[in-house]
């Protein structure tokens, strides 16, 4: 069985964080989500072929929860639910309906995250549209003459 895509990790991470009263290490959330999904040791160790660097499904799932305003990273490598996230987890049925998971996975993808004064990552608005013509063109080094 292949490693599940990030949308499969959204609910396990949401439910795990809802049981925690303080920020938890991301690795603990990773393990809890993998356990909830019944992943084997090989699947936990393996990454999808398309995943490189930070593009792991569990981190993408948390990113989507942050962009929806349901979770935060109070400091690097630690995750926790926001008040809105705790309220959402308590009010939502388990398991979440597929349309809700799709909403969290696809909604707010263009919201930029900015740390607030208390260190909690918060959605701050829509990302500006950057057109091709607005991008700076790379400078080429001057050519050296032959002589």
């Amino acid at each position: 069985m292949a490693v599940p895509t990030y949308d499969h990790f959204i609910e396990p991470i949401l439910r795990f964080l809802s049981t925690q009263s303080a920020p938890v290490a991301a690795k603990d959330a990773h393990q809890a989500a993998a356990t909830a999904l019944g992943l084997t040791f090989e699947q936990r160790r393996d990454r999808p072929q398309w995943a490189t660097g930070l593009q792991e499904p569990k981190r993408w799932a948390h990113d989507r929860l942050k962009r929806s305003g349901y979770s935060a990273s109070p400091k690097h490598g630690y995750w926790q639910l926001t008040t809105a996230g705790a309220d959402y987890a308590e009010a939502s049925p388990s398991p979440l309906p597929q349309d809700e998971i799709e909403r969290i996975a696809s909604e707010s993808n263009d919201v930029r995250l900015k740390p607030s004064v208390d260190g909690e990552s918060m959605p701050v608005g829509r990302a500006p549209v950057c057109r091709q013509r607005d991008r700076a063109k790379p400078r080429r080094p001057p050519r050296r003459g032959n002589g």
Side-chain angles (χ1 to χ4, degrees), residues 31-59:
Q31 289 300 320
T35 300
L37 291 172
L39 299 183
T40 65
F41 176 76
E42 290 78 21
Q43 289 171 314
R44 290 173 192 233
R45 194 184 59 193
D46 198 17
R47 278 197 250 177
Q49 289 180 344
W50 48 263
T52 59
L54 299 178
Q55 299 175 344
E56 294 182 42
K58 296 167 288 253
R59 290 185 180 144

Side-chain angles (χ1 to χ4, degrees), residues 66 69 71-74 82 113-116 118-123:
K66 284 195 306 185
S71 68
S73 294
T82 61
L113 299 173
K114 177 182 175 186
S116 65
D118 62 358
E120 192 171 289
S121 298
M122 298 296 292

Side-chain angles (χ1 to χ4, degrees), residues 5-8 10 60-61 63-65 67-68 70 98-110:
T5 56
Y6 77 91
D7 54 321
H8 291 92
I10 290 174
W60 279 12
D63 176 75
R64 296 307 189 252
L65 289 169
R67 290 177 190 279
S68 295
Y70 296 146
Q98 187 60 35
D99 61 329
E100 263 306 286
I101 291 174
E102 289 173 10
R103 181 189 65 80
I104 293 169
S106 62
E107 190 177 84
S108 306
N109 286 342
D110 57 348

Side-chain angles (χ1 to χ4, degrees), residues 67-86:
R67 290 177 190 279
S68 295
Y70 296 146
S71 68
S73 294
K75 63 181 181 177
H76 183 74
Y78 285 82
W79 299 349
Q80 76 179 101
L81 286 187
T82 61
T83 304

